[in-house]
Amino acid sequence: MDYNVLAELLAATVRVAAPLIFVALGAVLSESAGTFAVGVEGMMLMGAFSGAVLTFVTKSWAFGLLGSAMSGAALALIVAIATARFRTDHMVTGLSVNILALGLTSYLLRGLFGGKTPVINLPTLDAIQIPWLCNLPLIGRALFEQSLLTYAAFFLVIPMHLFLKKTQTGLMLRAVGENPAAAFSAGTDPIRVRAVAIIVCGAFAGLGGAVLSLQELGTFTDGMTNGRGFIALAAVIIGRWQPLFVMLGCLLFGAASALAFNLQGWSLPISSYVIQMTPYLLALAVLCGIGRRARMPAAIGRSFTRN
Amino acid sequence: MPSLAPLPSGPGPSGQVPTTSRGAAFRGLFSAAIAVLLAFAIAGILILVSGKNPFVAYWALLRGAFGSTDSVTFALNKSTPYILAGVGVAICFRARVINIGSEGQIAVGGVAASWIALNVPDLPSAVLVPLATIGGALAGAAWASIAALMRLKRGVHEVLGTLLSNFVGVLLVSEVLHGSMGEPGAGFPQSPLFPQGAWLQPLFEGSDLHAGILLAVLAVVACHLLLWHTPLGFRIRLLGSSDRAAAYAGVSVARTVLSVMLLAGALSGIAGAVEVLGVHFRLIQGFSQGFGFNAVAVALLAALNPVAVLPAGLFFGFLEAGALAMQREVGVQSSLVYVIQGLTMVFVLCALAINSKQQRV
């Protein structure tokens, strides 16, 4: 593999990992507080949709990003009410909002524009070069010549780590995920903490969707997230709910996708569909490899009742 | 393991015939109806947003579903895979195995059935059709067993195992269609038309209604008997109600999990076979699109009761058939159906939770 190809692969790895990191960080919040985050796929799709449509209509990136965070959070609100308040099953509730998001985005895309699919073609965000550093050999382009949201994704990892590990609120959140009854007797309301965690998770996932629609593709198509939310969930398990390791998990899947994408241009004797399976197969293989060593937040998936 | 908390209360540990009270059944039906109505009401607002009259749209939907013999036939054929896959999912959920892999299982079932139909075309129809269907069932079961084994051997949660294998299964269809099983020069990824002998015959002369719906009814009855009148059914229900009780009674978790996954996989595989042999007469890319979610939705709408899967599956089939007509006649996008389905699911889940709370008090 020659040098330029490798540098390009590394840059693509980081680029593809960025939306996954947003989604995965959100999922870490939700799952650390005890709620499985299966709905992130739908929240991501909502974010991708709102980001693209709002930027298209208002011509403003700021509105687009705000809209994607809010729409992701709005879908998460449904999950929060259902799981925290009514104590519905987390997995199935997540699946339901995923299909809801698929329908809603596909319907509104046409419904809002008089029955026809509008041609959304947005200029994607330019890469920002960090002077000098971007000329570093091999890693220069991967680390110091990326778009704004990619930098943002990676910078968010550290505050998220500090929040969960070093702050009172983060500790409380994890306590709710480990032992809600104990947290309750210490004066925390687990239902409220979980609800807030889910909603913030939705905002993160929505931003992840915006990265996809605004920064990578500059458009929105039906169901464009195509399982990326689930891949992010696998990254969360691989990273054992620790933001820094979760980021590495996302990079792993980024590398798999980048490699898969790159391989398609090499006219190898493997069909492109087999190559497209790579990220999913990799996720399954890694999950199997981790096996039972993955220790989940103890009370994840379990509803809390006050008695 | 997450608990699928708000399940309808089954019979006691004595393992006798179901003793669900008439009141509980009525409440279940009532909440399902309310959930559906609420979902339609909210979707109606969306129709208003896009500048159409919801009543006109829903009238078109209703006519599209029930308006003529042809539309009813179409809807019944649409319901068939939902019922087949849904009843398998219901059995899985009963044992608290959250299998959402129907989509992948349907896809590989369709591939296997198509392979048989295309490779031994000279067999008489009475042999070929059952053979292809059984092939689909075996392929679906084998596919499901992967996720089951990953859970049992490696502790991978079956939700992620089945979800991720769905993507692989669907890509497998594309792969074979662009390789050995594709029709050259078709312009769309599809296989050549199956020989007539492999077609699932219509139930009536001159109708499109194929025999799959009979298989679906059969599957529902069989799963009902299995769940309530066999030792395996008892183990499934015991595992579903409490891990500890199941362990105390000496129920093997591994064997039960594997059994329900194989059963659901086989049923989904049959659904895939029926879809290619009875509807398309060929394998086409994306034929299993959305079936997996619908199977889960149908199972839950039926409150995991095998017999109730039948009306729930019919509801979904007729809803989708009607929505296509609604799009044709009124110009309201049929993707609205996903909104209705998603909302219905959320409301049903909440209603089940409320009901189970009331029962506890």
Side-chain angles (χ1 to χ4, degrees):
Chain A
M1 202 184 298
D2 81 58
Y3 176 83
N4 277 331
V5 175
L6 195 60
E8 172 55 38
L9 268 182
L10 285 176
T13 299
V14 172
R15 200 168 56 233
V16 176
L20 296 181
I21 291 178
F22 272 109
V23 181
L25 288 181
V28 167
L29 273 181
S30 167
E31 299 200 339
S32 296
T35 312
F36 279 115
V38 181
V40 286
E41 174 82 9
M43 299 167 195
M44 194 182 180
L45 192 62
M46 291 293 280
F49 170 80
S50 315
V53 168
L54 274 174
T55 309
F56 177 65
V57 173
T58 64
K59 307 273 178 269
S60 155
W61 279 81
F63 277 116
L65 286 179
L66 191 68
S68 54
M70 283 175 61
S71 64
L75 194 69
L77 180 66
I78 300 179
V79 179
I81 293 174
T83 57
R85 169 73 185 78
F86 289 105
R87 310 204 304 263
T88 60
D89 179 66
H90 298 175
M91 300 285 184
V92 187
T93 311
L95 277 179
S96 310
V97 297
N98 286 347
I99 201 78
L100 176 61
L102 181 66
L104 202 59
T105 52
S106 167
Y107 178 79
L108 286 178
L109 183 65
R110 291 154 186 89
L112 290 177
F113 296 93
K116 286 200 189 65
T117 320
V119 184
I120 298 182
N121 203 351
L122 303 164
T124 51
L125 276 181
D126 286 331
I128 302 170
Q129 294 184 337
I130 312 277
W132 299 306
L133 289 175
C134 68
N135 295 326
L136 283 176
L138 209 57
I139 55 163
R141 285 187 52 210
L143 299 184
F144 303 107
E145 192 181 334
Q146 295 284 355
S147 310
L148 183 67
L149 294 173
T150 308
Y151 290 123
F154 283 87
F155 276 121
L156 265 173
V157 174
I158 295 156
M160 183 64 83
H161 172 81
L162 294 177
F163 167 73
L164 282 173
K165 292 285 144 83
K166 306 284 176 198
T167 67
Q168 191 80 38
T169 327
L171 184 68
M172 186 183 76
L173 183 126
R174 288 189 295 134
V176 167
E178 295 291 341
N179 190 342
F184 183 59
S185 33
T188 315
D189 179 0
I191 293 179
R192 223 188 60 188
V193 171
R194 284 184 172 180
V196 172
I198 297 166
I199 292 167
V200 177
C201 160
F204 271 91
L207 285 173
V211 178
L212 204 60
S213 66
L214 291 179
Q215 183 170 287
E216 280 195 34
L217 300 169
T219 186
F220 178 85
T221 51
D222 289 341
M224 72 186 288
T225 48
N226 200 16
R228 283 181 179 79
F230 301 133
I231 296 274
L233 287 185
V236 170
I237 297 177
I238 292 168
R240 301 180 195 187
W241 294 269
Q242 318 272 330
L244 294 170
F245 292 109
V246 167
M247 177 189 77
L248 294 180
C250 292
L251 281 170
L252 179 68
F253 289 120
S257 304
L259 197 62
F261 188 73
N262 208 287
L263 281 177
Q264 291 181 29
W266 288 8
S267 61
L268 289 179
I270 317 169
S271 96
S272 73
Y273 297 97
V274 175
I275 294 172
Q276 281 176 45
M277 292 177 193
T278 334
Y280 308 112
L281 290 175
L282 180 72
L284 286 172
V286 175
L287 287 175
C288 284
I290 290 176
R292 293 179 204 282
R293 273 173 295 150
R295 203 194 76 80
M296 302 188 176
I300 194 167
R302 241 179 267 148
S303 304
F304 172 72
T305 36
R306 269 182 214 144
N307 45 44
Chain B
M1 265 301 292
S3 76
L4 202 68
L7 290 189
S9 52
S14 57
Q16 295 301 308
V17 240
T19 52
T20 330
S21 72
R22 202 169 281 267
F26 178 74
R27 252 204 314 274
L29 197 66
F30 182 70
S31 15
I34 295 279
V36 169
L37 281 179
L38 264 177
F40 269 97
I42 294 178
I45 299 173
L46 283 173
I47 299 179
L48 269 179
V49 167
S50 64
K52 303 270 172 22
N53 183 338
F55 293 104
V56 175
Y58 286 154
W59 179 240
L61 188 145
L62 212 58
R63 259 183 315 154
F66 299 101
S68 66
T69 325
D70 277 350
S71 56
V72 171
T73 301
F74 181 68
L76 284 175
N77 280 345
K78 247 188 155 4
S79 314
T80 302
Y82 302 159
I83 297 169
L84 278 167
V87 74
V89 170
I91 297 284
C92 278
F93 278 29
R94 276 276 175 177
R96 275 195 290 156
V97 175
I98 318 288
N99 164 25
I100 37 191
S102 297
E103 185 142 350
Q105 294 148 17
I106 290 172
V108 294
V111 169
S114 307
W115 189 84
I116 292 172
L118 289 170
N119 279 284
V120 279
D122 300 327
L123 289 177
S125 181
V127 181
L128 186 50
V129 172
L131 189 69
T133 311
I134 291 169
L138 290 178
W143 196 253
S145 73
I146 300 174
L149 290 175
M150 282 196 299
R151 164 170 164 192
L152 295 172
K153 298 283 173 209
R154 306 297 310 161
V156 177
H157 196 292
E158 69 272 11
V159 166
L160 275 176
T162 49
L163 263 179
L164 291 167
S165 56
N166 280 347
F167 288 96
V168 180
V170 170
L171 280 167
L172 199 68
V173 176
S174 306
E175 166 62 21
V176 297
L177 288 179
H178 285 84
S180 52
M181 280 164 69
E183 184 178 39
F188 185 83
Q190 60 181 27
S191 78
L193 206 61
F194 297 155
Q196 288 259 355
W199 293 17
L200 206 55
Q201 290 307 310
L203 282 181
F204 311 107
E205 198 66 37
S207 159
D208 286 336
L209 185 65
H210 61 65
I213 190 78
L214 292 184
L215 276 179
V217 174
L218 203 66
V220 164
V221 174
C223 285
H224 172 80
L225 294 176
L226 171 86
L227 187 63
W228 298 110
H229 298 285
T230 66
L232 176 61
F234 176 62
R235 288 199 290 271
I236 291 171
R237 286 179 285 132
L238 201 54
L239 188 62
S241 55
S242 153
D243 283 343
R244 232 179 294 165
Y248 186 71
V251 172
S252 156
V253 175
R255 261 179 53 195
T256 314
V257 169
L258 196 59
S259 311
V260 293
M261 284 294 281
L262 286 175
L263 174 70
L267 287 170
S268 290
I270 293 175
V274 163
E275 196 66 8
V276 294
L277 300 174
V279 177
H280 306 298
F281 309 119
R282 53 165 37 121
L283 185 65
I284 57 176
Q285 185 168 313
F287 79 97
S288 60
Q289 182 82 45
F291 286 19
F293 171 78
N294 281 354
V296 174
V298 162
L300 284 166
L301 194 60
L304 309 189
N305 185 349
V307 174
V309 166
L310 197 58
L314 288 172
F315 170 68
F316 267 55
F318 277 89
L319 180 63
E320 295 197 342
L324 289 173
M326 177 176 77
Q327 174 165 341
R328 233 176 11 247
E329 287 171 27
V330 197
V332 172
Q333 290 300 320
S334 66
S335 45
L336 191 69
V337 169
Y338 295 133
V339 178
I340 297 177
Q341 289 172 346
L343 287 173
T344 306
M345 289 312 307
V346 174
F347 294 142
V348 165
L349 286 168
C350 292
L352 282 173
I354 295 171
N355 278 345
S356 71
K357 233 179 287 176
Q358 282 170 348
Q359 278 168 3
R360 220 171 292 149
V361 172

